[in-house]
């Protein structure tokens, strides 16, 4: 597994202040992607023990809400095993921290992956420039979804995502969106 950066005290990639691991490798190659430097799975640096220690040192801080996997695509074949292993270690060491994962893959294609049992929120779907909206919560284009993974996996049919939140800050709890049920936390 390779990565480009570890962002500290990040407020843009999930709830609260987070540490973000920007992974190398993405096959989606979305038009006008904000991070095309991460597409090459051979780019960046090898995720070694020093990088893991840096990540864990940030997660030990009480004000850090959790870890976000981004990139690139954390589910790219070059990353999938390492991300699952790291997510498992983070969950064990920091059970009160949340884990977010951004991927260009659709929820319906990934919900059965073993890594999902460690993920709290998954932002799915490729970025579509024609559906870009800077006011969206935690995502770049309207087609993407912010999935509450534990709530979704507990449903009778986990292919239908329960949304962590709607598209905009003023949407009310319990309303429905066009691609899944919503379970906002306020």
């Amino acid at each position: 597994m390779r990565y480009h950066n570890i962002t500290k005290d990040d407020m843009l990639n999930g709830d609260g202040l987070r540490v973000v691991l920007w992974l190398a490798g993405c096959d989606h190659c979305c038009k006008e992607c904000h991070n095309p430097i991460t597409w090459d799975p051979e780019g960046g640096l090898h995720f070694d023990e020093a990088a893991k220690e840096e990540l864990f040192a940030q997660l030990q801080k009480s004000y850090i809400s959790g870890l976000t996997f981004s990139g690139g695509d954390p589910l790219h074949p070059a990353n999938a095993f390492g991300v699952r292993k790291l997510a498992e270690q983070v969950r064990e060491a920091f059970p009160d921290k949340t884990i977010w994962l951004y991927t260009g893959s659709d929820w319906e294609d990934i919900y059965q992956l073993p890594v999902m049992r460690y993920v709290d929120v998954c932002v799915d779907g490729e970025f579509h420039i024609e559906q870009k909206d800077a006011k969206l919560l935690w995502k770049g284009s309207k087609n993407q979804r912010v999935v509450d993974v534990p709530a979704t996996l507990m449903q009778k049919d986990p292919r239908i995502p329960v949304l962590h939140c709607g598209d905009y800050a003023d949407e009310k709890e319990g309303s429905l969106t066009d691609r899944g049920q919503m379970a906002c936390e306020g």
Side-chain angles (χ1 to χ4, degrees):
M1 179 168 79
R2 300 182 67 80
Y3 76 106
H4 280 271
N5 192 22
I6 296 173
T7 305
K8 300 165 181 129
D9 301 340
D10 183 283
M11 300 185 318
L12 302 174
N13 295 285
D15 290 328
L17 285 176
R18 312 189 65 74
V19 60
V20 181
L21 179 61
W22 299 90
L23 294 150
C26 185
D27 291 333
H28 298 284
C29 304
C30 301
K31 182 179 178 185
E32 295 193 36
C33 169
H34 76 280
N35 216 3
I37 194 170
T38 64
W39 292 355
D40 181 2
E42 299 300 321
L45 307 165
H46 175 68
F47 188 80
D48 58 12
E49 196 60 33
K52 180 181 167 187
E53 288 173 14
E54 179 181 349
L55 197 71
F56 275 55
Q58 292 301 308
L59 288 168
Q60 288 175 355
K61 296 177 179 178
S62 62
Y63 63 86
I64 295 296
S65 299
L67 169 65
T68 299
F69 291 103
S70 194
D73 192 332
L75 300 182
H76 183 278
N79 300 322
F81 176 76
V83 166
R84 187 208 49 81
K85 183 177 174 185
L86 183 58
E88 181 180 14
Q89 292 168 346
V90 168
R91 177 65 69 220
E92 185 175 311
F94 305 100
D96 296 331
K97 306 283 183 173
T98 59
I99 298 175
W100 283 51
L101 186 144
Y102 281 78
T103 179
S105 298
D106 291 329
W107 174 255
E108 295 81 1
D109 298 326
I110 61 172
Y111 74 94
Q112 293 179 318
L113 294 178
V115 69
M116 288 305 155
R117 68 177 157 229
Y118 306 109
V119 174
D120 295 290
V121 177
C122 176
V123 181
D124 81 330
E126 293 183 351
F127 171 73
H128 293 162
I129 187 63
E130 61 279 356
Q131 292 182 302
K132 179 180 179 178
D133 183 343
K135 296 178 199 165
L136 294 168
L137 293 175
W138 315 123
K139 59 186 185 170
S141 60
K142 186 86 171 163
N143 64 295
Q144 296 171 310
R145 296 170 290 186
V146 184
V147 178
D148 179 328
V149 175
T152 301
L153 293 178
M154 288 178 16
Q155 293 189 121
K156 184 177 180 180
D157 186 353
R159 293 173 297 177
I160 301 169
V162 174
L163 301 183
H164 174 70
C165 61
D167 288 343
Y168 304 100
D170 61 350
E171 289 187 4
K172 302 293 182 207
E173 182 175 348
S175 65
L176 295 177
T177 66
D178 52 89
R179 292 189 69 203
Q181 299 175 348
M182 185 165 60
C184 280
E185 298 172 359

